[in-house]
Amino acid sequence: MDNAAQTELRRTPLHAAHLRAGARMVPFGGWDMPVQYAGVKAEHQAVRQGAGVFDVSHMGEFRVTGPGAEAFLQYVTTNDVSKLRPGRAQYNWLPGEAGGLVDDIYIYRVAQEEFLLVVNAANIGKDWAHLQAQVGRYDAQLSDESDQWGLLAVQGPRAEQLLQPHADTDLSARKKNSFFQTQLFGLPVWLARTGYTGEDGFEVFVAAEQAEKMWEQLLGAGLTPAGLGARDTLRLEAGFPLYGHEFSESIHPLSSSYSWVVKDKEHLGRHHIAAPTPHKLIGLVLDKVPVREGYPVRLGGVQVGVVTSGSSSPTLGHPIAMALVDAEHAGAEEYEVEVRGKAHPARRSQLPFYKKA
Amino acid sequence: MNTPSELRYAPSHEWLSDDGTVGISDFAQDQLGDVVYVELPEVGREVQAGETVAVVESVKTASDIYAPASGTITAVNEALAGSPELVNGDCYGEGWLFKLDVTAESGDLLDAASYEAANS
């Protein structure tokens, strides 16, 4: 192990807590993050059947304030920010000037002239520079609060039940995509009823210096610590695209089935997104052999695409994958995926692979 | 870490028994996590020490398995097709991978103590 490389990795406020919980740490987007504690399958199942907690403090938080905040965000994103009421959250995209996506993000409207943006960890610096380059034309201020926040994702069918006794508000009254200030275990937090696993759940924004205390309280309340491994299998089953795999600056954003994120409005890079998409994102299922990112997808022996994410699905018990295929070949039902030089049959599947009951 | 003393170990984490049986070490199965698929070689194939002969796939990654000795593959563990998790549960027993009729060993096989020292 290269110690010099390790010391360059950033650490979340929960780093010591992860080591105490027996985590195996891996580099991820420039951060030293837990990939698993007890095991990917066990953590995955805990989230599907009970509730788990993920440290997502590595993600970035930007605050946008001022009379021009809405107009600024309206221009640099594809979704309609004007429809977002205070106390609500919205999934959104940062389109690039030259096509593709700079990032996919969540926007939380704190007040009429105040928004919180949550961006992918590996993109914090790039997003910041991109937004800085655009904000000058608006009566709005941008601040990077990434180091001030701990962010914990509590996900699973029992999330509300486990949090409720320790929350200062009636959680059952808070619908999906709501965003509100309350106290949890006596600590001030912002809670968002959002997530990235296909389950019900909450994301807990807590001051960085109180993140470790919050983490320990959540574990004490019966939540299972879950790592990046389970986060990836959960999001793949739920058909959620991941930046760097299904999205990038070189992938047409409408390749995925997320066309609803693009509204008819003036925004950066609009003419690129209006152009026809050359590829389409599809779901594939296989009988036995797991397929991974980069494996070729073939139709009648000819390569028509490439796997963007693949794993064995702990819930379904067989391999699943997402793949970008040429748009004209996206209608087939049967494909082949090349694994170590051998072709294996793959059936096209609806996305998501898993939908909660 | 469970490292039986009667076996020898490749630095790439395969174990070799005196009768030519090959598997992966307890350290390796723990590092891999949940094994979901094992691709085994064909019986009768001649292999060289250090050659890639099998693949063990966990939920997250595919890992190459190298021959710890040269020889001919005489058997593969068919049970792994239906129960790849045997590699996690019993890596020195029911989770073995294949058997070799050994003609020449790799020179860098370690005894249990040296293997443990290298991976602690």
Side-chain angles (χ1 to χ4, degrees), chain A residues 19-327:
Chain A
L19 298 181
R20 278 202 304 279
R24 182 170 303 152
M25 307 298 284
V26 296
F28 178 83
W31 295 74
D32 193 27
M33 295 298 291
V35 65
Q36 65 168 63
Y37 304 83
V40 174
K41 269 190 183 172
E43 291 159 30
H44 181 107
Q45 270 147 12
V47 173
R48 285 275 179 256
Q49 291 158 15
V53 56
F54 303 85
D55 177 15
V56 287
S57 303
H58 58 320
M59 298 186 79
E61 290 86 10
F62 300 159
R63 193 174 297 267
V64 184
T65 55
E70 182 185 294
F72 164 59
L73 291 174
Q74 196 70 332
Y75 181 65
V76 295
T77 68
T78 61
N79 205 343
D80 189 352
V81 179
S82 72
K83 292 271 168 61
L84 188 58
R85 300 190 308 280
R88 301 288 298 170
Q90 182 186 66
Y91 177 67
N92 212 326
W93 287 347
L94 296 179
E97 274 182 275
L101 292 187
V102 175
D103 204 0
D104 66 329
I105 66 172
Y106 245 91
I107 297 187
Y108 302 86
R109 191 164 201 160
V110 181
Q112 194 58 32
E113 297 183 1
E114 185 174 356
F115 299 84
L116 192 67
L117 276 51
V118 173
V119 307
N120 281 302
N123 293 342
I124 294 173
K126 180 180 77 166
D127 291 0
W128 177 254
H130 173 75
L131 293 172
Q132 278 285 355
Q134 300 293 335
V135 74
R137 295 185 285 132
Y138 296 87
D139 186 6
Q141 293 77 48
L142 189 58
S143 55
D144 182 356
E145 298 184 358
S146 301
D147 292 338
Q148 297 172 35
W149 292 102
L151 186 55
L152 305 176
V154 176
Q155 295 279 297
R158 291 189 69 213
E160 181 187 306
Q161 185 193 344
L162 289 174
L163 290 193
Q164 186 59 76
H166 313 288
D168 247 10
T169 193
D170 175 12
L171 298 177
S172 68
R174 305 295 188 154
K175 302 288 178 240
K176 193 178 175 204
N177 281 329
S178 62
F179 179 58
F180 53 98
Q181 200 168 19
T182 185
Q183 293 218 338
L184 194 60
F185 300 100
L187 300 171
V189 294
W190 284 86
L191 285 188
R193 197 157 202 160
T194 52
Y196 192 53
T197 60
E199 299 296 336
D200 184 23
F202 299 86
E203 286 169 303
V204 184
F205 295 76
V206 60
E209 56 273 21
Q210 291 176 330
E212 193 167 345
K213 195 169 172 191
M214 176 62 67
W215 172 263
E216 296 298 344
Q217 296 278 16
L218 289 169
L219 297 194
L223 287 147
T224 302
L228 291 177
R231 192 168 169 81
D232 196 49
T233 51
L234 288 158
R235 72 95 192 165
L236 179 57
E237 285 182 352
F240 294 143
L242 173 61
Y243 196 88
H245 297 259
E246 285 75 34
F247 290 143
S248 75
E249 294 194 39
S250 57
I251 296 173
H252 191 291
L254 295 185
S255 300
S256 72
S257 58
Y258 280 61
S259 55
W260 57 270
V261 186
V262 180
K263 299 298 195 295
D264 184 18
K265 63 169 192 180
E266 277 310 308
H267 65 77
L268 195 67
R270 184 181 182 180
H271 61 289
H272 290 290
I273 290 183
T277 160
H279 302 108
K280 203 165 180 309
L281 189 73
I282 63 167
L284 293 173
V285 297
L286 293 98
D287 286 334
K288 289 238 172 229
V289 191
V291 296
R292 315 285 180 181
E293 183 181 4
Y295 287 10
V297 177
R298 292 179 180 165
L299 192 60
V302 177
Q303 184 172 351
V304 296
V306 66
V307 172
T308 53
S309 292
S311 186
S312 180
S313 161
T315 304
L316 303 172
H318 57 70
I320 57 174
M322 289 197 273
L324 273 178
V325 299
D326 299 340

Side-chain angles (χ1 to χ4, degrees), chain A residues 24 41 288 292 311 340, chain B residues 30-31 34 57-59 81:
Chain A
R24 182 170 303 152
K41 269 190 183 172
K288 289 238 172 229
R292 315 285 180 181
S311 186
R340 295 179 284 277
Chain B
D30 182 60
Q31 288 288 312
D34 307 299
E57 302 225 22
S58 65
V59 176

